[in-house]
Every structure is written in structure tokens, then in C-alpha cells.
Amino acid sequence: MAAKQEEWKDEYQKICELLRHHSYKLTPQRQTILKAFLENEDQHLSAEDTFMMVKHNYPDIGLATVYRTLDLLAELGILQKNDFGDGRSRYEFNRKDEHHHHHLICIKCGNVSEFDGDLLESLEAEIEKRNGYQVVDHDLKFYGYCNKCKSTLD
Amino acid sequence: MAAKQEEWKDEYQKICELLRHHSYKLTPQRQTILKAFLENEDQHLSAEDTFMMVKHNYPDIGLATVYRTLDLLAELGILQKNDFGDGRSRYEFNRKDEHHHHHLICIKCGNVSEFDGDLLESLEAEIEKRNGYQVVDHDLKFYGYCNKCKSTLD
DNA sequence: GTGCCTGCAAAGCTTTTGCAGGCTC
DNA sequence: GAGCCTGCAAAAGCTTTGCAGGCAC
């Protein structure tokens, strides 16, 4: 617990500095939201999820503030905005070091796992040649049944 | 023009039969919508797009009917439902023969092109082994600047 | 003190749903 | 003729926006 907190304290300081550098104010709302993501690095939280989570530490926070903050943090590259097709955006902490990871989405229970490895760089080069696109990003999702749901099929 | 119509007339008959086989009624609304997609095989139409398009041939059609029909056709595998992140679903005719094609999305003008080639089957096998997922589908999107927008950068 | 931020409420958008009437089979 | 389909309007969800007050700097 203490060790885990140690883990992200550095990260937290760096991000605060980044905000200051962009002349964004360090409000307690922003700090609380940021901490929620640092404490849940492996989760994919929707705005509503985040709101519920943060409300415990900061009961007066408004949902609109959560939306605005998520937007801001994604704009700065601190969070990554994802769309898993369930009608709401989901955010996760953007670890710069593992540049690209892809998502496995269970079409039964909605659980989202991650899959590392890129392998798509060579494909991007081919696309630039063939289609004239200058590719800057890609998004790869796999849909299927997770380990748990697999066994309950039919 | 006539040749292009010849091209999809067979396809059209086959789909009508499929609908009948499922005991779905062949209403003029459904026929008109289906034809709109057969005449625009290369487009990625939203519900609103489809609605506007179909309104010319069938002015009394309702938007709700378009939504219901798109849903039905996607359910039957006749259309493919896509989400390109612009806040609305987009549909395209699902050509069974070119099983998997991927999308190139211009982040400036929103234009969507296609990119053929699958290459991901081996990755799916690895995922099943590593993560325990039974993968049934995948979705790969590339984001970048199309040929036209590329030249107008900065 | 300045002006960015916030909370609240209202509005915006896409999509879904309820219902009475209509049309396909 | 039976019951699925349709059009209309209302509602549902997620997200954005306007505004007056408040807080970080």
C-alpha cells in the first residue's frame, strides 16, 4: 500500500509541474481526479465511474468538472481516451513507456484486458506508400469471450 | 450506371430472400434503405446520412425506422456497424468476400478510406494462449492525415 | 485582485421506446 | 385478418455549455 503510493508519487509531482507549466491551476478537484487514476492504473474508468470514485474524497464535486478535467488530462496526454463501444468514453492512465498496448474486450461481461506488443509499425509504412496517408496513430481492439465467460457459453 | 445496377441486383435478391427466410417483412422502407447501401457500397453512412438519402425516394420515412432497419440489417450481417469516434455510428455494406478490411481515418477532414489485408490471425492465436480469451473479432483503425490534408499541414 | 475553475441546471446530440394506425403476408 | 412495421413524439443517456460565484495564483 505504502509502496504502491511511493510508486506514483513521483509521477504525480511531474504531472503537477506539467499543469503549472501550461498555466493550468492546481485545484483540489483536479488533484483528486488525477490521484484516482494513479491509484487505479489498470482500470478503464468512465466519467461516471470517476465521478463516483472521487465523490468519496470530495463530495461536492460536480459531474461537469469531471468531464472537463478528463478532457484536459487527455488533451495533455496524461490520460488516454478510449471507446469500447458501450456508449461512453473510458479513460486510463497513459503510461508513456509501454507505448502501445491493445485492448481485449469481452462481449459478454464487458471486461477489458490489455495486450502488449505493437507489430503494426511496418503496416503503417505500407499504408503511407499505398494510400498516401500520413499515419499518426492506430487503435486495435479484439472482441471475444474472457476466460470466465468462455466456460459459460451455451 | 446500368452496369452498376446489374452488379448488385443479384445481391439484392439474395438479401430479400434472407429477410423472408427470417420472416421479416419486405416493406418499401426496408427495400429503399437496402438499395441506398447497395448503390453506395464504398460509403460509411450514419443514420442521419441514410435518412437524408432515402428521404428523396421515400419522403415520408421516419428517422426511427432508419435506426430500426440499420439495426436489423447489421444484426443479419448485411451491414457492418462502425464507430469512427465522431459520436455517431456509421454503417457500410458488408462484403463477405473481402473478409476483413481496416479503416484509415483522416483526423482533419474525417474522410474514411479502407485498407485491405488481415495479418492478425496469428496474433489472435497468441492472445488465446496468453490471455485465455476466445477471440471472435477484431477492429483495427489507423488515424492520420489523408493525401489532401497532408499537404495543408501548418 | 484577476481571471481561470467550479457547480448547477439547462440544453444538445444521438439513439431508443411507447403507441395508435397501417400494411405485408 | 393477424401481427409485424411504421411515423410521430417523447424520453433516455452521455456530454457540453452558460452563468454566477469562488478560489488558485
Side-chain angles (χ1 to χ4, degrees):
Chain A
M1 187 68 193
K4 191 170 181 185
Q5 207 171 72
E6 274 313 305
E7 247 175 67
W8 55 258
K9 273 211 168 146
D10 264 17
E11 199 77 50
Y12 177 71
Q13 292 303 334
K14 260 189 276 181
I15 295 171
C16 289
E17 208 166 319
L18 182 64
L19 286 173
R20 266 192 298 267
H21 179 261
H22 283 266
S23 306
Y24 290 122
K25 294 188 175 159
L26 231 66
T27 65
Q29 290 92 333
R30 286 175 179 173
Q31 294 177 50
T32 312
I33 290 172
L34 184 50
K35 280 179 193 163
F37 276 90
L38 284 162
E39 283 168 356
N40 296 280
E41 269 200 273
D42 51 336
Q43 298 219 42
H44 305 84
L45 304 173
S46 68
E48 191 74 32
D49 292 340
T50 311
F51 179 58
M52 300 299 273
M53 206 155 220
V54 167
K55 230 174 165 30
H56 287 133
N57 296 328
Y58 203 102
D60 282 348
I61 200 167
L63 183 53
T65 300
V66 174
Y67 272 103
R68 283 186 280 234
T69 303
L70 294 177
D71 223 41
L72 173 68
L73 294 178
E75 201 78 37
L76 291 172
I78 296 162
L79 297 183
Q80 190 181 94
K81 187 175 186 174
N82 283 114
D83 183 352
F84 298 138
D86 60 348
R88 72 204 66 187
S89 293
R90 296 184 169 278
Y91 296 80
E92 66 184 312
F93 187 74
N94 189 13
R95 283 147 295 181
K96 311 265 155 91
D97 43 332
E98 6 179 316
H99 183 246
H100 263 107
H101 67 267
H102 307 124
H103 291 108
L104 309 176
I105 302 158
C106 179
I107 53 184
K108 191 159 181 201
C109 71
N111 173 55
V112 177
S113 313
E114 314 210 328
F115 177 74
D116 294 334
D118 203 330
L119 327 162
L120 296 172
E121 252 92 46
S122 58
L123 216 55
E124 291 192 1
E126 170 135 6
I127 289 170
E128 306 220 9
K129 206 165 54 185
R130 245 160 74 175
N131 300 63
Y133 261 70
Q134 178 182 332
V135 178
V136 298
D137 198 12
H138 57 242
D139 175 21
L140 174 56
K141 294 191 282 261
F142 293 94
Y143 297 93
Y145 298 96
C146 72
N147 221 348
K148 210 176 290 175
C149 293
K150 199 168 56 176
S151 54
T152 64
L153 287 179
D154 300 358
Chain B
M1 187 69 193
K4 191 170 181 185
Q5 207 172 71
E6 275 313 306
E7 246 175 67
W8 56 257
K9 273 212 167 143
D10 265 17
E11 198 76 51
Y12 177 71
Q13 293 303 334
K14 259 189 276 180
I15 294 170
C16 289
E17 208 166 318
L18 181 65
L19 285 174
R20 265 191 298 269
H21 180 261
H22 282 267
S23 306
Y24 290 123
K25 295 190 175 156
L26 232 64
T27 65
Q29 291 91 332
R30 285 176 179 171
Q31 294 177 50
T32 311
I33 290 172
L34 183 51
K35 280 179 193 162
F37 276 90
L38 283 162
E39 282 168 357
N40 296 279
E41 270 201 275
D42 52 336
Q43 298 219 44
H44 306 82
L45 303 174
S46 68
E48 191 73 32
D49 291 340
T50 311
F51 179 58
M52 300 298 273
M53 205 155 222
V54 167
K55 229 174 165 29
H56 287 135
N57 296 330
Y58 203 102
D60 282 348
I61 200 167
L63 183 54
T65 300
V66 174
Y67 272 103
R68 283 186 280 232
T69 302
L70 294 178
D71 223 41
L72 174 68
L73 294 176
E75 202 77 37
L76 290 172
I78 296 163
L79 297 183
Q80 189 180 94
K81 187 176 185 174
N82 284 114
D83 183 354
F84 298 138
D86 60 348
R88 71 204 66 187
S89 294
R90 296 184 169 278
Y91 296 80
E92 66 184 311
F93 187 74
N94 189 12
R95 282 148 295 179
K96 311 262 155 88
D97 43 332
E98 6 180 315
H99 183 247
H100 263 107
H101 67 267
H102 308 124
H103 290 109
L104 309 177
I105 302 157
C106 179
I107 53 184
K108 192 160 180 200
C109 71
N111 173 55
V112 177
S113 313
E114 315 212 326
F115 177 74
D116 294 333
D118 202 332
L119 326 162
L120 296 172
E121 252 93 44
S122 58
L123 216 56
E124 292 193 1
E126 171 135 5
I127 288 169
E128 305 220 12
K129 206 164 53 184
R130 243 158 77 173
N131 300 63
Y133 260 71
Q134 177 181 333
V135 178
V136 297
D137 198 11
H138 57 242
D139 176 21
L140 174 56
K141 293 191 283 261
F142 293 93
Y143 296 94
Y145 298 96
C146 71
N147 221 347
K148 210 176 290 174
C149 292
K150 200 168 56 177
S151 54
T152 63
L153 287 178
D154 300 1

